[in-house]
mmCIF file of all heavy atoms in Angstrom:
data_model
loop_
_atom_site.group_PDB
_atom_site.id
_atom_site.type_symbol
_atom_site.label_atom_id
_atom_site.label_comp_id
_atom_site.label_asym_id
_atom_site.label_seq_id
_atom_site.Cartn_x
_atom_site.Cartn_y
_atom_site.Cartn_z
ATOM 1 N N PHE A 44 147.737 100.251 86.045
ATOM 2 C CA PHE A 44 146.317 100.378 86.064
ATOM 3 C C PHE A 44 145.833 101.039 84.785
ATOM 4 O O PHE A 44 144.908 100.543 84.124
ATOM 5 C CB PHE A 44 145.829 101.123 87.256
ATOM 6 C CG PHE A 44 144.342 101.435 87.178
ATOM 7 C CD1 PHE A 44 143.367 100.485 87.528
ATOM 8 C CD2 PHE A 44 143.895 102.701 86.822
ATOM 9 C CE1 PHE A 44 142.049 100.800 87.503
ATOM 10 C CE2 PHE A 44 142.561 102.996 86.823
ATOM 11 C CZ PHE A 44 141.617 102.007 87.162
ATOM 12 N N VAL A 45 146.492 102.129 84.391
ATOM 13 C CA VAL A 45 146.125 102.859 83.214
ATOM 14 C C VAL A 45 146.382 102.037 81.943
ATOM 15 O O VAL A 45 145.541 101.904 81.079
ATOM 16 C CB VAL A 45 146.882 104.090 83.123
ATOM 17 C CG1 VAL A 45 146.743 104.775 81.798
ATOM 18 C CG2 VAL A 45 146.532 105.125 84.177
ATOM 19 N N CYS A 46 147.519 101.293 81.903
ATOM 20 C CA CYS A 46 147.846 100.449 80.754
ATOM 21 C C CYS A 46 146.888 99.219 80.663
ATOM 22 O O CYS A 46 146.533 98.819 79.566
ATOM 23 C CB CYS A 46 149.233 99.957 80.873
ATOM 24 S SG CYS A 46 150.500 101.176 80.724
ATOM 25 N N ASP A 47 146.457 98.592 81.748
ATOM 26 C CA ASP A 47 145.683 97.477 81.671
ATOM 27 C C ASP A 47 144.221 97.789 81.716
ATOM 28 O O ASP A 47 143.481 97.508 80.756
ATOM 29 C CB ASP A 47 146.011 96.504 82.891
ATOM 30 C CG ASP A 47 147.421 95.988 82.789
ATOM 31 O OD1 ASP A 47 148.030 96.000 81.671
ATOM 32 O OD2 ASP A 47 147.980 95.687 83.872
ATOM 33 N N VAL A 48 143.721 98.244 82.801
ATOM 34 C CA VAL A 48 142.216 98.376 83.027
ATOM 35 C C VAL A 48 141.671 99.532 82.100
ATOM 36 O O VAL A 48 140.643 99.327 81.430
ATOM 37 C CB VAL A 48 141.974 98.746 84.498
ATOM 38 C CG1 VAL A 48 140.426 98.893 84.711
ATOM 39 C CG2 VAL A 48 142.456 97.554 85.327
ATOM 40 N N VAL A 49 142.289 100.655 82.152
ATOM 41 C CA VAL A 49 141.718 101.797 81.460
ATOM 42 C C VAL A 49 141.886 101.580 79.920
ATOM 43 O O VAL A 49 140.939 101.931 79.154
ATOM 44 C CB VAL A 49 142.445 103.139 81.841
ATOM 45 C CG1 VAL A 49 141.916 104.276 80.980
ATOM 46 C CG2 VAL A 49 142.279 103.394 83.334
ATOM 47 N N ASN A 50 142.934 101.021 79.535
ATOM 48 C CA ASN A 50 143.206 100.744 78.033
ATOM 49 C C ASN A 50 142.161 99.848 77.494
ATOM 50 O O ASN A 50 141.767 100.080 76.319
ATOM 51 C CB ASN A 50 144.546 100.217 77.820
ATOM 52 C CG ASN A 50 144.977 100.289 76.437
ATOM 53 O OD1 ASN A 50 144.759 101.267 75.727
ATOM 54 N ND2 ASN A 50 145.535 99.204 75.848
ATOM 55 N N LYS A 51 141.559 98.890 78.278
ATOM 56 C CA LYS A 51 140.557 97.989 77.758
ATOM 57 C C LYS A 51 139.239 98.768 77.486
ATOM 58 O O LYS A 51 138.609 98.491 76.540
ATOM 59 C CB LYS A 51 140.266 96.890 78.805
ATOM 60 C CG LYS A 51 141.371 95.801 78.785
ATOM 61 C CD LYS A 51 140.982 94.850 79.832
ATOM 62 C CE LYS A 51 142.148 93.815 80.033
ATOM 63 N NZ LYS A 51 141.965 92.891 81.185
ATOM 64 N N GLU A 52 138.948 99.732 78.359
ATOM 65 C CA GLU A 52 137.671 100.448 78.174
ATOM 66 C C GLU A 52 137.818 101.665 77.330
ATOM 67 O O GLU A 52 136.879 101.980 76.579
ATOM 68 C CB GLU A 52 137.177 100.917 79.574
ATOM 69 C CG GLU A 52 136.746 99.791 80.496
ATOM 70 C CD GLU A 52 135.585 98.971 79.855
ATOM 71 O OE1 GLU A 52 134.633 99.629 79.389
ATOM 72 O OE2 GLU A 52 135.610 97.770 80.039
ATOM 73 N N SER A 53 138.977 102.363 77.389
ATOM 74 C CA SER A 53 139.078 103.554 76.607
ATOM 75 C C SER A 53 140.526 103.820 76.299
ATOM 76 O O SER A 53 141.326 104.454 77.051
ATOM 77 C CB SER A 53 138.569 104.783 77.454
ATOM 78 O OG SER A 53 138.720 105.938 76.808
ATOM 79 N N PRO A 54 140.996 103.267 75.148
ATOM 80 C CA PRO A 54 142.380 103.530 74.776
ATOM 81 C C PRO A 54 142.856 104.914 74.636
ATOM 82 O O PRO A 54 143.964 105.272 75.036
ATOM 83 C CB PRO A 54 142.429 102.812 73.397
ATOM 84 C CG PRO A 54 141.362 101.821 73.374
ATOM 85 C CD PRO A 54 140.295 102.443 74.266
ATOM 86 N N LYS A 55 141.888 105.838 74.194
ATOM 87 C CA LYS A 55 142.266 107.260 74.076
ATOM 88 C C LYS A 55 142.525 107.855 75.493
ATOM 89 O O LYS A 55 143.505 108.540 75.599
ATOM 90 C CB LYS A 55 141.068 107.933 73.438
ATOM 91 C CG LYS A 55 141.437 109.437 73.092
ATOM 92 C CD LYS A 55 140.296 110.045 72.398
ATOM 93 C CE LYS A 55 140.557 111.538 72.183
ATOM 94 N NZ LYS A 55 139.432 112.209 71.450
ATOM 95 N N MET A 56 141.683 107.544 76.423
ATOM 96 C CA MET A 56 141.906 108.118 77.719
ATOM 97 C C MET A 56 143.237 107.557 78.341
ATOM 98 O O MET A 56 143.952 108.183 79.004
ATOM 99 C CB MET A 56 140.750 107.707 78.693
ATOM 100 C CG MET A 56 140.712 108.389 79.987
ATOM 101 S SD MET A 56 139.347 108.036 81.043
ATOM 102 C CE MET A 56 137.984 108.540 80.074
#
Side-chain angles (χ1 to χ4, degrees):
F44 172 79
V45 170
C46 290
D47 297 337
V48 178
V49 177
N50 194 45
K51 287 179 188 170
E52 292 298 317
S53 177
K55 185 178 178 181
M56 190 181 300

